[in-house]
Protein backbone atom coordinates (compact mmCIF):
# COMPACT_ATOMS: atom_id res chain seq x y z
CA UNK A 1 0.00 0.00 0.00
CA UNK A 2 1.55 3.31 -1.09
CA UNK A 3 2.15 6.03 1.47
CA UNK A 4 0.01 9.18 1.25
CA UNK A 5 2.17 11.97 -0.18
CA UNK A 6 2.72 15.26 1.61
CA UNK A 7 2.65 18.38 -0.57
CA UNK A 8 4.20 21.67 0.54
CA UNK A 9 3.73 25.09 -1.09
CA UNK A 10 6.08 27.96 -0.28
CA UNK A 11 4.48 31.36 -0.87
CA UNK A 12 1.59 33.52 0.27
CA UNK A 13 0.18 35.02 -2.91
CA UNK A 14 -2.32 34.08 -5.58
CA UNK A 15 -0.17 31.29 -7.04
CA UNK A 16 0.17 29.59 -3.64
CA UNK A 17 -3.52 29.86 -2.81
CA UNK A 18 -4.66 28.66 -6.23
CA UNK A 19 -2.18 25.77 -6.17
CA UNK A 20 -3.71 24.51 -2.92
CA UNK A 21 -7.17 24.80 -4.49
CA UNK A 22 -6.13 22.96 -7.66
CA UNK A 23 -4.44 20.15 -5.73
CA UNK A 24 -7.61 19.51 -3.74
CA UNK A 25 -9.80 19.85 -6.84
CA UNK A 26 -7.75 17.28 -8.73
CA UNK A 27 -7.75 14.65 -6.05
CA UNK A 28 -4.90 15.19 -3.63
CA UNK A 29 -6.40 14.15 -0.30
CA UNK A 30 -3.17 13.90 1.66
CA UNK A 31 -1.40 16.46 3.86
CA UNK A 32 -1.14 19.90 2.24
CA UNK A 33 0.84 22.75 3.79
CA UNK A 34 1.13 26.38 2.65
CA UNK A 35 4.00 28.35 4.18
CA UNK A 36 3.89 32.16 3.87
CA UNK A 37 6.20 34.75 5.38
CA UNK A 38 3.33 37.22 5.90
CA UNK A 39 0.68 36.84 8.57
CA UNK A 40 -2.00 37.42 5.93
CA UNK A 41 -3.81 34.53 4.29
CA UNK A 42 -2.97 34.24 0.57
CA UNK A 43 -4.16 37.32 -1.31
CA UNK A 44 -4.24 38.82 -4.80
CA UNK A 45 -1.83 41.66 -5.56
CA UNK A 46 -3.34 43.69 -8.48
CA UNK A 47 -5.92 45.45 -6.23
CA UNK A 48 -3.04 46.80 -4.13
CA UNK A 49 -2.35 49.33 -6.91
CA UNK A 50 -5.94 49.53 -8.12
CA UNK A 51 -9.23 49.06 -6.24
CA UNK A 52 -7.83 48.45 -2.76
CA UNK A 53 -5.45 51.40 -3.01
CA UNK A 54 -8.35 53.60 -4.13
CA UNK A 55 -10.46 52.45 -1.18
CA UNK A 56 -13.00 50.73 -3.44
CA UNK A 57 -12.21 47.22 -2.20
CA UNK A 58 -11.86 46.01 1.37
CA UNK A 59 -9.26 43.68 2.85
CA UNK A 60 -11.45 40.58 2.66
CA UNK A 61 -12.07 41.07 -1.07
CA UNK A 62 -8.40 40.70 -2.00
CA UNK A 63 -7.98 37.29 -0.37
CA UNK A 64 -7.78 34.27 -2.65
CA UNK A 65 -10.29 32.33 -0.54
CA UNK A 66 -12.70 33.01 2.33
CA UNK A 67 -11.00 32.60 5.70
CA UNK A 68 -12.76 29.30 6.44
CA UNK A 69 -11.76 27.69 3.13
CA UNK A 70 -8.41 26.42 4.39
CA UNK A 71 -9.85 24.63 7.41
CA UNK A 72 -12.74 23.24 5.37
CA UNK A 73 -10.27 21.85 2.83
CA UNK A 74 -7.75 20.65 5.42
CA UNK A 75 -5.00 22.95 4.23
CA UNK A 76 -2.47 23.74 6.95
CA UNK A 77 -1.41 27.39 6.88
CA UNK A 78 1.94 28.28 8.41
CA UNK A 79 1.82 32.08 8.30
CA UNK A 80 4.50 34.52 9.38
CA UNK A 81 7.13 31.83 8.79
CA UNK A 82 10.05 32.00 6.39
CA UNK A 83 11.59 28.99 4.70
CA UNK A 84 15.34 29.29 5.15
CA UNK A 85 16.56 26.29 3.16
CA UNK A 86 15.58 23.20 1.19
CA UNK A 87 17.09 19.79 1.91
CA UNK A 88 16.58 17.97 -1.37
CA UNK A 89 18.09 14.69 -0.18
CA UNK A 90 16.04 14.61 3.01
CA UNK A 91 12.89 16.02 1.43
CA UNK A 92 12.40 18.78 3.99
CA UNK A 93 12.30 22.55 4.22
CA UNK A 94 13.73 24.39 7.22
CA UNK A 95 11.90 27.29 8.85
CA UNK A 96 13.20 30.42 10.53
CA UNK A 97 11.94 29.18 13.91
CA UNK A 98 14.13 26.08 13.67
CA UNK A 99 11.33 23.75 12.59
CA UNK A 100 11.39 21.39 9.63
CA UNK A 101 8.54 20.43 7.32
CA UNK A 102 8.85 17.24 5.26
CA UNK A 103 7.61 17.11 1.67
CA UNK A 104 7.12 14.57 -1.10
CA UNK A 105 6.34 17.29 -3.62
CA UNK A 106 7.35 20.93 -3.22
CA UNK A 107 6.02 23.97 -5.10
CA UNK A 108 7.98 27.21 -4.99
CA UNK A 109 5.65 30.18 -5.47
CA UNK A 110 7.96 32.65 -3.76
CA UNK A 111 7.12 35.64 -5.96
CA UNK A 112 9.28 38.71 -6.30
CA UNK A 113 10.65 41.67 -4.36
CA UNK A 114 10.68 45.33 -5.49
CA UNK A 115 14.04 46.59 -6.67
CA UNK A 116 15.40 49.20 -4.31
CA UNK A 117 16.42 52.66 -5.37
CA UNK A 118 20.18 53.14 -4.99
CA UNK A 119 20.62 56.87 -4.44
CA UNK A 120 21.45 58.94 -1.35
CA UNK A 121 18.34 59.38 0.79
CA UNK A 122 16.59 56.26 -0.48
CA UNK A 123 16.55 54.86 3.06
CA UNK A 124 14.35 57.67 4.42
CA UNK A 125 11.14 56.56 6.10
CA UNK A 126 8.58 57.84 3.58
CA UNK A 127 10.32 56.41 0.51
CA UNK A 128 7.72 53.75 -0.23
CA UNK A 129 7.43 50.59 -2.31
CA UNK A 130 4.40 48.54 -3.25
CA UNK A 131 4.29 44.77 -3.02
CA UNK A 132 2.34 43.80 0.10
CA UNK A 133 -0.95 44.72 1.74
CA UNK A 134 0.82 46.82 4.35
CA UNK A 135 2.58 48.75 1.58
CA UNK A 136 -0.76 49.59 -0.01
CA UNK A 137 -2.10 50.72 3.37
CA UNK A 138 0.84 53.12 3.75
CA UNK A 139 0.33 54.54 0.28
CA UNK A 140 -3.38 55.03 0.87
CA UNK A 141 -2.57 56.97 4.05
CA UNK A 142 -0.29 59.45 2.21
CA UNK A 143 -2.42 59.81 -0.95
CA UNK A 144 -4.49 62.73 0.32
CA UNK A 145 -5.83 66.00 -1.04
CA UNK A 146 -2.96 68.39 -1.69
CA UNK A 147 -0.18 65.94 -0.81
CA UNK A 148 2.94 66.15 -2.97
CA UNK A 149 3.82 62.72 -4.32
CA UNK A 150 6.85 61.90 -6.47
CA UNK A 151 6.65 58.58 -8.29
CA UNK A 152 9.94 57.12 -9.49
CA UNK A 153 9.42 54.87 -12.49
CA UNK A 154 6.91 54.94 -15.33
CA UNK A 155 6.03 51.26 -15.46
CA UNK A 156 2.69 49.71 -14.55
CA UNK A 157 3.12 50.11 -10.78
CA UNK A 158 4.35 53.68 -11.17
CA UNK A 159 1.49 54.75 -13.42
CA UNK A 160 -1.21 52.96 -11.42
CA UNK A 161 -0.04 54.52 -8.16
CA UNK A 162 0.21 57.91 -9.87
CA UNK A 163 -3.40 57.55 -11.04
CA UNK A 164 -4.52 56.57 -7.54
CA UNK A 165 -2.71 59.55 -6.01
CA UNK A 166 -4.21 61.99 -8.52
CA UNK A 167 -7.67 60.51 -7.99
CA UNK A 168 -7.22 61.23 -4.27
CA UNK A 169 -6.37 64.86 -5.09
CA UNK A 170 -2.60 64.73 -4.61
CA UNK A 171 -0.09 66.67 -6.70
CA UNK A 172 1.87 64.03 -8.61
CA UNK A 173 5.18 64.03 -10.47
CA UNK A 174 6.37 60.92 -12.31
CA UNK A 175 10.09 60.61 -12.97
CA UNK A 176 10.85 58.28 -15.90
CA UNK A 177 14.36 57.72 -17.27
CA UNK A 178 13.08 56.77 -20.73
CA UNK A 179 11.59 58.85 -23.48
CA UNK A 180 8.07 57.67 -22.61
CA UNK A 181 6.50 55.55 -19.86
CA UNK A 182 6.00 51.93 -20.94
CA UNK A 183 8.03 52.49 -24.11
CA UNK A 184 9.91 49.18 -23.85
CA UNK A 185 6.74 47.28 -22.97
CA UNK A 186 4.29 48.70 -25.50
CA UNK A 187 6.29 50.56 -28.14
CA UNK A 188 5.89 54.22 -29.04
CA UNK A 189 2.38 54.13 -30.50
CA UNK A 190 0.68 52.75 -27.38
CA UNK A 191 3.06 54.35 -24.88
CA UNK A 192 2.04 57.79 -26.15
CA UNK A 193 -1.55 56.98 -25.18
CA UNK A 194 -0.60 56.49 -21.54
CA UNK A 195 1.68 59.53 -21.45
CA UNK A 196 -1.18 61.67 -22.80
CA UNK A 197 -3.62 60.16 -20.32
CA UNK A 198 -1.53 61.16 -17.30
CA UNK A 199 -0.68 64.60 -18.59
CA UNK A 200 -4.38 65.29 -19.21
CA UNK A 201 -5.06 64.34 -15.59
CA UNK A 202 -2.53 66.84 -14.31
CA UNK A 203 0.49 64.62 -13.70
CA UNK A 204 3.86 66.35 -14.03
CA UNK A 205 5.51 63.74 -16.25
CA UNK A 206 9.30 64.12 -16.27
CA UNK A 207 10.80 61.93 -19.01
CA UNK A 208 14.48 61.38 -19.82
CA UNK A 209 15.05 62.20 -16.16
CA UNK A 210 17.39 60.73 -13.59
CA UNK A 211 17.53 61.02 -9.81
CA UNK A 212 20.60 62.36 -8.06
CA UNK A 213 19.37 62.11 -4.47
CA UNK A 214 16.39 62.28 -2.14
CA UNK A 215 16.47 65.09 0.38
CA UNK A 216 14.98 65.02 3.85
CA UNK A 217 15.22 65.82 7.52
CA UNK A 218 14.26 64.05 10.71
CA UNK A 219 14.41 60.72 8.89
CA UNK A 220 11.74 61.69 6.36
CA UNK A 221 12.01 62.59 2.68
CA UNK A 222 10.95 66.07 1.63
CA UNK A 223 12.10 66.23 -1.98
CA UNK A 224 13.74 64.58 -4.97
CA UNK A 225 16.68 66.19 -6.76
CA UNK A 226 16.98 65.27 -10.43
CA UNK A 227 20.28 64.97 -12.30
CA UNK A 228 19.58 68.28 -14.08
CA UNK A 229 19.41 70.02 -10.68
CA UNK A 230 15.62 70.33 -10.51
CA UNK A 231 14.17 69.69 -7.06
CA UNK A 232 10.68 68.24 -6.75
CA UNK A 233 9.14 68.76 -3.27
CA UNK A 234 7.65 65.59 -1.82
CA UNK A 235 5.55 64.51 1.14
CA UNK A 236 6.23 60.92 0.01
CA UNK A 237 8.26 59.20 -2.70
CA UNK A 238 6.89 56.06 -4.35
CA UNK A 239 9.42 53.81 -6.09
CA UNK A 240 8.35 51.47 -8.87
CA UNK A 241 11.49 50.47 -10.79
CA UNK A 242 10.80 46.79 -11.29
CA UNK A 243 10.92 43.59 -9.29
CA UNK A 244 13.43 40.81 -8.74
CA UNK A 245 12.33 37.16 -8.51
CA UNK A 246 12.88 35.54 -5.12
CA UNK A 247 15.26 32.77 -6.15
CA UNK A 248 17.57 32.46 -3.12
CA UNK A 249 16.01 29.23 -1.85
CA UNK A 250 16.20 27.62 -5.27
CA UNK A 251 19.71 28.85 -5.93
CA UNK A 252 21.09 27.60 -2.62
CA UNK A 253 19.38 24.24 -3.19
CA UNK A 254 21.20 23.86 -6.50
CA UNK A 255 18.24 24.36 -8.82
CA UNK A 256 18.81 25.92 -12.23
CA UNK A 257 18.22 29.65 -11.89
CA UNK A 258 18.26 32.13 -14.77
CA UNK A 259 16.09 35.23 -14.41
CA UNK A 260 13.88 33.17 -12.14
CA UNK A 261 13.62 29.46 -11.40
CA UNK A 262 13.95 27.62 -14.70
CA UNK A 263 11.20 25.09 -15.42
CA UNK A 264 9.97 23.04 -18.33
CA UNK A 265 6.49 23.46 -19.81
CA UNK A 266 5.13 21.22 -17.02
CA UNK A 267 6.53 23.69 -14.42
CA UNK A 268 9.02 21.09 -13.20
CA UNK A 269 12.33 22.53 -12.03
CA UNK A 270 15.73 20.94 -12.59
CA UNK A 271 15.33 19.11 -9.25
CA UNK A 272 13.14 16.05 -8.92
CA UNK A 273 9.83 16.63 -7.09
CA UNK A 274 10.26 20.42 -7.01
CA UNK A 275 8.05 22.73 -9.08
CA UNK A 276 7.69 26.50 -9.52
CA UNK A 277 4.84 28.82 -10.50
CA UNK A 278 4.00 32.52 -10.66
CA UNK A 279 6.39 35.49 -10.84
CA UNK A 280 9.37 33.38 -9.90
CA UNK A 281 9.03 30.75 -12.66
CA UNK A 282 11.01 31.16 -15.88
CA UNK A 283 9.00 28.53 -17.71
CA UNK A 284 9.42 27.09 -21.17
CA UNK A 285 6.46 28.27 -23.25
CA UNK A 286 5.73 25.70 -25.99
CA UNK A 287 3.61 28.10 -28.05
CA UNK A 288 6.32 30.77 -28.09
CA UNK A 289 9.24 28.34 -28.24
CA UNK A 290 11.26 30.01 -25.49
CA UNK A 291 11.55 30.41 -21.74
CA UNK A 292 9.47 33.24 -20.36
CA UNK A 293 9.00 34.76 -16.92
CA UNK A 294 5.80 36.80 -16.70
CA UNK A 295 5.22 39.17 -13.78
CA UNK A 296 1.46 39.41 -14.08
CA UNK A 297 -1.67 38.22 -12.34
CA UNK A 298 -2.82 35.83 -15.08
CA UNK A 299 0.23 33.58 -14.70
CA UNK A 300 -0.27 33.37 -10.96
CA UNK A 301 -3.93 32.54 -11.56
CA UNK A 302 -3.53 29.88 -14.26
CA UNK A 303 -0.10 28.28 -13.79
CA UNK A 304 -1.10 26.56 -10.51
CA UNK A 305 -3.43 24.18 -12.35
CA UNK A 306 -0.55 22.94 -14.51
CA UNK A 307 1.76 22.74 -11.50
CA UNK A 308 -0.84 20.82 -9.47
CA UNK A 309 -1.46 18.29 -12.23
CA UNK A 310 2.28 17.82 -12.71
CA UNK A 311 2.76 17.31 -8.97
CA UNK A 312 0.04 14.65 -9.15
CA UNK A 313 1.85 12.84 -11.96
CA UNK A 314 -0.48 13.87 -14.75
CA UNK A 315 0.51 15.32 -18.12
CA UNK A 316 -0.13 19.06 -18.35
CA UNK A 317 1.64 21.94 -20.04
CA UNK A 318 1.28 25.68 -19.56
CA UNK A 319 0.83 27.35 -22.93
CA UNK A 320 -1.55 30.25 -22.26
CA UNK A 321 -0.56 33.49 -23.92
CA UNK A 322 0.64 36.18 -21.50
CA UNK A 323 -2.14 38.52 -20.39
CA UNK A 324 -2.26 41.64 -18.26
CA UNK A 325 -4.60 44.51 -17.58
CA UNK A 326 -4.62 47.93 -16.01
CA UNK A 327 -7.18 50.45 -14.76
CA UNK A 328 -6.09 54.09 -14.64
CA UNK A 329 -8.58 56.96 -14.23
CA UNK A 330 -11.32 56.20 -16.79
CA UNK A 331 -9.11 53.92 -18.88
CA UNK A 332 -9.44 50.16 -18.79
CA UNK A 333 -6.93 48.14 -20.79
CA UNK A 334 -6.34 44.45 -21.52
CA UNK A 335 -3.35 43.00 -23.39
CA UNK A 336 -2.54 39.53 -24.61
CA UNK A 337 0.36 38.05 -26.54
CA UNK A 338 4.10 38.53 -26.38
CA UNK A 339 6.37 40.87 -28.29
CA UNK A 340 10.05 41.38 -27.65
CA UNK A 341 11.43 44.90 -28.23
CA UNK A 342 11.90 45.20 -31.96
CA UNK A 343 9.94 42.00 -32.54
CA UNK A 344 7.18 43.60 -34.60
CA UNK A 345 6.89 45.65 -37.77
CA UNK A 346 4.08 48.04 -36.91
CA UNK A 347 1.00 48.61 -34.77
CA UNK A 348 -2.41 48.64 -36.44
CA UNK A 349 -5.31 50.44 -34.72
CA UNK A 350 -9.05 49.75 -34.90
CA UNK A 351 -11.05 52.61 -33.41
CA UNK A 352 -10.30 56.10 -32.14
CA UNK A 353 -6.87 56.33 -30.53
CA UNK A 354 -7.37 60.05 -29.77
CA UNK A 355 -10.51 59.17 -27.78
CA UNK A 356 -8.74 56.28 -26.04
CA UNK A 357 -11.27 53.76 -27.34
CA UNK A 358 -9.57 51.30 -29.64
CA UNK A 359 -8.03 47.90 -30.24
CA UNK A 360 -4.34 47.77 -31.20
CA UNK A 361 -2.61 44.90 -32.99
CA UNK A 362 1.14 44.32 -32.98
CA UNK A 363 2.04 42.89 -36.38
CA UNK A 364 4.88 40.73 -37.68
CA UNK A 365 4.34 40.60 -41.41
CA UNK A 366 0.65 39.75 -41.80
CA UNK A 367 0.43 37.93 -38.47
CA UNK A 368 -0.92 39.38 -35.23
CA UNK A 369 1.54 38.63 -32.41
CA UNK A 370 -0.15 40.64 -29.64
CA UNK A 371 -3.20 42.79 -29.12
CA UNK A 372 -4.54 45.35 -26.69
CA UNK A 373 -8.02 46.68 -26.07
CA UNK A 374 -8.53 50.11 -24.52
CA UNK A 375 -12.02 50.91 -23.25
CA UNK A 376 -13.46 48.29 -25.59
CA UNK A 377 -15.15 45.44 -23.73
CA UNK A 378 -15.60 41.76 -24.52
CA UNK A 379 -12.99 41.66 -27.27
CA UNK A 380 -9.78 40.38 -25.73
CA UNK A 381 -10.85 36.75 -26.11
CA UNK A 382 -11.22 37.28 -29.86
CA UNK A 383 -7.82 38.99 -29.95
CA UNK A 384 -6.28 36.02 -28.14
CA UNK A 385 -7.84 33.60 -30.62
CA UNK A 386 -6.50 35.67 -33.51
CA UNK A 387 -2.97 35.59 -32.08
CA UNK A 388 -3.15 31.87 -31.39
CA UNK A 389 -4.49 31.06 -34.86
CA UNK A 390 -1.47 32.48 -36.64
CA UNK A 391 -3.85 33.79 -39.31
CA UNK A 392 -2.48 35.94 -42.14
CA UNK A 393 -4.47 39.17 -42.02
CA UNK A 394 -4.35 42.35 -44.07
CA UNK A 395 -4.23 45.68 -42.25
CA UNK A 396 -7.45 47.14 -43.76
CA UNK A 397 -9.48 44.24 -42.36
CA UNK A 398 -7.99 44.73 -38.88
CA UNK A 399 -8.70 48.45 -39.03
CA UNK A 400 -12.32 48.08 -40.09
CA UNK A 401 -14.66 47.92 -37.05
CA UNK A 402 -17.38 46.48 -39.31
CA UNK A 403 -15.30 43.32 -39.85
CA UNK A 404 -15.78 40.87 -36.94
CA UNK A 405 -12.46 39.72 -35.58
CA UNK A 406 -13.66 36.13 -35.38
CA UNK A 407 -14.13 36.15 -39.15
CA UNK A 408 -10.36 36.69 -39.55
CA UNK A 409 -9.34 33.46 -37.84
CA UNK A 410 -7.35 31.01 -39.93
Amino acid sequence: MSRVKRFVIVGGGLAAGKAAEELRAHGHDGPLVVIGDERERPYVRPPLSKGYLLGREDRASVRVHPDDWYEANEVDLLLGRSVTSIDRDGGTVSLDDGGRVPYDRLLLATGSTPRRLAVPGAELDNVLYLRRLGDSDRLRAVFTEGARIVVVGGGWIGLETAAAARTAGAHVSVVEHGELPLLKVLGREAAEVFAGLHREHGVDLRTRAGIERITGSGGRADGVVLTDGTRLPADAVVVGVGITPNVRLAEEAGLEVRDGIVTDAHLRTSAEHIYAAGDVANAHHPRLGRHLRVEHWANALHQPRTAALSMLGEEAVYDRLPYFYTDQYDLGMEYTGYVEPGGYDRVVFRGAREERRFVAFWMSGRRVVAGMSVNVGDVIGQVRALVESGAQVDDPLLCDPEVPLRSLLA
Side-chain angles (χ1 to χ4, degrees):
M1 187 174 182
S2 61
R3 180 174 61 86
V4 175
K5 289 184 172 61
R6 182 184 184 92
F7 287 16
V8 173
I9 300 167
V10 182
L14 175 59
K18 291 298 290 185
E21 178 184 321
E22 294 287 354
L23 284 167
R24 286 297 189 230
H26 288 94
H28 176 62
D29 56 5
L32 179 54
V33 183
V34 176
I35 307 171
D37 62 3
E38 295 184 69
R39 296 196 178 278
E40 299 282 351
R41 295 172 186 271
Y43 61 88
V44 185
R45 298 189 191 277
L48 305 191
S49 60
K50 299 180 178 74
Y52 183 80
L53 181 57
L54 290 163
R56 297 170 183 167
E57 299 179 46
D58 62 17
R59 212 171 185 86
S61 71
V62 305
R63 296 196 176 109
V64 179
H65 300 109
D67 287 350
D68 60 359
W69 183 90
Y70 298 92
E71 183 177 358
N73 287 273
E74 298 183 340
V75 176
D76 293 328
L77 288 178
L78 298 183
L79 301 178
R81 308 275 185 85
S82 294
V83 175
T84 57
S85 63
I86 300 168
D87 178 356
R88 289 167 53 185
D89 294 332
T92 64
V93 296
S94 297
L95 305 180
D96 54 356
D97 63 1
R100 287 178 176 269
V101 178
Y103 70 84
D104 294 290
R105 300 289 184 273
L106 176 65
L107 176 64
L108 299 177
T110 47
S112 301
T113 300
R115 294 194 188 108
R116 314 304 282 188
L117 194 62
V119 298
E123 75 289 346
L124 292 168
D125 182 58
N126 53 332
V127 176
L128 307 175
Y129 297 79
L130 178 58
R131 186 62 182 170
R132 301 189 170 201
L133 263 171
D135 299 332
S136 191
D137 290 335
R138 289 192 71 187
L139 290 181
R140 184 155 44 164
V142 299
F143 288 177
T144 58
E145 184 77 34
R148 299 166 301 176
I149 306 296
V150 176
V151 177
V152 181
W156 296 117
I157 291 296
L159 294 188
E160 288 178 358
T161 54
R166 280 297 296 139
T167 300
H171 303 292
V172 179
S173 297
V174 173
V175 180
E176 163 59 34
H177 67 84
E179 183 183 352
L180 287 168
L182 304 173
L183 183 60
K184 290 183 179 179
V185 179
L186 297 178
R188 177 176 301 279
E189 298 90 343
E192 287 173 344
V193 172
F194 285 89
L197 172 72
H198 280 268
R199 286 184 171 124
E200 285 182 24
H201 281 84
V203 171
D204 176 16
L205 182 57
R206 304 289 182 114
T207 57
R208 298 186 185 277
I211 295 178
E212 180 179 296
R213 67 185 186 278
I214 298 173
T215 62
S217 61
R220 294 183 60 79
D222 59 20
V224 174
V225 178
L226 306 183
T227 51
D228 66 1
T230 303
R231 181 179 181 277
L232 304 175
D235 296 303
V237 179
V238 182
V239 180
V241 292
I243 58 178
T244 302
N246 295 327
V247 299
R248 182 191 62 79
L249 279 176
E251 205 163 37
E252 292 179 356
L255 278 62
E256 184 181 358
V257 169
R258 186 178 68 251
D259 183 33
I261 302 171
V262 176
T263 79
D264 62 13
H266 308 280
L267 301 182
R268 300 176 300 205
T269 72
S270 59
E272 190 176 19
H273 304 322
I274 302 180
Y275 306 76
D279 284 4
V280 77
N282 185 5
H284 184 264
H285 197 291
R287 188 181 297 276
L288 299 172
R290 55 159 293 164
H291 277 81
L292 194 64
R293 188 174 68 82
V294 179
E295 301 170 350
H296 292 291
W297 160 87
N299 260 34
L301 177 68
H302 296 295
Q303 277 190 344
R305 181 179 186 275
T306 299
L309 290 171
S310 295
M311 293 168 78
L312 291 166
E314 299 184 32
E315 282 296 314
V317 298
Y318 188 76
D319 62 357
R320 288 181 67 94
L321 286 176
Y323 165 91
F324 57 88
Y325 73 99
T326 189
D327 296 310
Q328 299 173 35
Y329 309 109
D330 57 353
L331 182 147
M333 182 277 275
E334 295 180 272
Y335 177 105
T336 188
Y338 176 74
V339 182
E340 293 183 281
Y344 66 99
D345 306 326
R346 64 202 179 283
V347 180
V348 175
F349 289 89
R350 168 183 291 218
R353 187 167 28 152
E354 65 280 0
E355 296 175 10
R356 291 193 285 270
R357 186 179 299 277
F358 62 86
V359 182
F361 305 92
W362 280 257
M363 305 296 296
S364 177
R366 295 174 59 223
R367 188 168 65 87
V368 180
V369 293
M372 178 176 79
S373 67
V374 172
N375 289 340
V376 178
D378 300 323
V379 73
I380 202 66
Q382 298 174 55
V383 174
R384 179 184 297 112
L386 190 57
V387 175
E388 291 176 343
S389 75
Q392 301 288 307
V393 185
D394 293 323
D395 290 7
L397 294 176
L398 284 172
C399 293
D400 188 349
E402 299 301 317
V403 177
L405 290 179
R406 62 177 60 89
S407 71
L408 304 177
L409 298 179

